[in-house]
Amino acid sequence: MFGTIFGTKELATEGPTTLVIKSKDIDLNKFSESNVIVMREKYPGLNDDVLARYLIARNNDLTKACEQLQRALEWKALHGPILKSTCIKEISSGKLYIRGVCKEGRPLLIYRSCKSFPNERDLEEAARMLVWFAEHLQRSMPPHMSKYTLLVDRVGHKSENTDSDLMKHVSSQFQDLFPETLMRAIIYPSDVVFYSIWAIVKWFMDPVTREKVQPMMYLSGVEQYIDRQYIPKSMGGDDEYEYNPDDFADPYSEEELAAAKEAAAKSASA
């Protein structure tokens, strides 16, 4: 038997834990401390929260967790950090932005599908924009949390707004870069057609992901998770915010920005 205290775990038979877990979103029962210790030695610059998230994502399989984390580190070394200037057209579209919090105090990422036009966007730039906002989310997260809430605004959505190619393009990349960071995805309004499709598609998802997706037919369903003050007026809420890309700057430190700009300059002159 063991008892858990927020951010710590003590094992009666093994003595006090060495784990330092800050996020209450991390389930201490879904990974082993011994695997975290091994990953610490391999990745000394990363904290226990990050290592635990990769282990949970791979069902505590140490080999798979290390492989996934290694892919993420290699991708960041090659491509990161993503600068606003490299995806400014997509950022300016207003299809995606961070605004307010859900009732649990998690950052709220809002996606307006009516502003998505797959035939007009550049696939790679759109992918960079998604990573850029995801970095924003991670850096604005309360220290005791590690998951955000996604609100998908389908008001005015048409079939030509669906960007399946982008979702396929970034799916595995996001799993590597940001594992165990989505708390739930609220999709509203979800009409009868959407529900009919969802009733079939959801069974092709793993159970964990399936449980995170919450299609809502009525606004009252959205209000179970988000206060009206943070629900856009276009969706029936009270938030009159008009998106402005200037409200969002690069989320990185001065050192990271300097290194990124230096790398970009070298690449341009090569």
Side-chain angles (χ1 to χ4, degrees):
M1 294 294 292
F2 62 86
T4 57
I5 303 174
F6 175 68
T8 65
K9 179 169 69 173
E10 293 187 359
L11 302 179
T13 58
E14 299 179 18
T17 180
T18 64
L19 286 175
V20 182
I21 301 294
K22 296 180 179 180
S23 172
K24 69 177 185 180
D25 294 329
I26 295 177
D27 189 338
L28 302 176
N29 298 306
K30 291 187 175 181
F31 64 95
S32 64
E33 182 174 355
S34 59
N35 280 346
V36 171
I37 292 173
V38 173
M39 292 185 75
R40 277 186 200 148
E41 297 177 357
K42 189 174 180 65
Y43 306 104
L46 301 178
N47 61 48
D48 287 358
D49 283 57
V50 172
L51 303 179
R53 287 196 290 107
Y54 277 91
L55 284 168
I56 293 173
R58 307 317 307 176
N59 295 315
N60 199 39
D61 185 311
L62 178 60
T63 299
K64 291 182 179 180
C66 288
E67 290 174 348
Q68 184 177 22
L69 177 52
Q70 189 63 41
R71 288 195 301 270
L73 294 176
E74 291 175 357
W75 188 95
K76 289 182 178 181
L78 184 62
H79 302 285
I82 301 297
L83 298 178
K84 181 178 181 179
S85 59
T86 67
C87 47
I88 188 62
K89 182 179 179 181
E90 284 296 302
I91 291 174
S92 298
S93 70
K95 70 177 70 172
L96 193 69
Y97 62 92
I98 302 167
R99 172 77 173 173
V101 295
C102 69
K103 288 187 175 181
E104 295 173 327
R106 305 177 188 284
L108 189 60
L109 180 65
I110 300 175
Y111 175 69
R112 301 191 66 194
S113 64
C114 69
K115 291 184 175 292
S116 172
F117 299 100
N119 293 331
E120 299 176 13
R121 60 99 181 96
D122 177 82
L123 184 62
E124 292 299 331
E125 181 178 356
R128 290 195 296 272
M129 179 268 294
L130 292 177
V131 173
W132 189 80
F133 270 113
E135 286 288 352
H136 253 286
L137 282 169
Q138 295 307 302
R139 293 164 187 258
S140 63
M141 198 78 67
H144 62 290
M145 293 181 175
S146 54
K147 295 184 178 182
Y148 65 93
T149 294
L150 171 64
L151 175 60
V152 178
D153 176 2
R154 295 186 72 250
V155 174
H157 177 88
K158 298 179 181 179
S159 59
E160 57 262 34
N161 298 129
T162 302
D163 201 341
S164 300
D165 289 340
L166 178 59
M167 294 302 101
K168 293 176 184 177
H169 184 66
V170 303
S171 179
S172 60
Q173 183 184 100
F174 261 65
Q175 289 178 24
D176 287 346
L177 296 177
F178 309 104
E180 293 295 309
T181 56
L182 174 64
M183 186 65 185
R184 66 177 55 87
I186 301 169
I187 306 174
Y188 173 81
S190 298
D191 53 22
V192 175
V193 175
F194 181 90
Y195 265 100
S196 299
I197 297 173
W198 172 245
I200 299 173
V201 173
K202 68 180 182 180
W203 299 111
F204 293 93
M205 298 180 175
D206 66 86
V208 175
T209 302
R210 187 165 65 234
E211 289 300 315
K212 292 180 179 180
V213 180
Q214 303 284 330
M216 298 296 180
M217 188 173 291
Y218 304 105
L219 182 61
S220 58
V222 180
E223 292 177 315
Q224 293 179 36
Y225 299 101
I226 305 170
D227 286 324
R228 290 184 60 87
Q229 70 180 103
Y230 294 125
I231 300 174
K233 200 171 186 65
S234 61
M235 299 179 73
D238 297 334
D239 189 11
E240 298 181 352
Y241 173 71
E242 293 291 335
Y243 177 74
N244 184 347
D246 293 336
D247 291 341
F248 299 90
D250 281 313
Y252 315 109
S253 66
E254 292 184 5
E255 292 77 9
E256 288 174 304
L257 286 172
K261 291 176 181 178
E262 181 180 353
K266 289 181 179 180
S267 177
S269 61

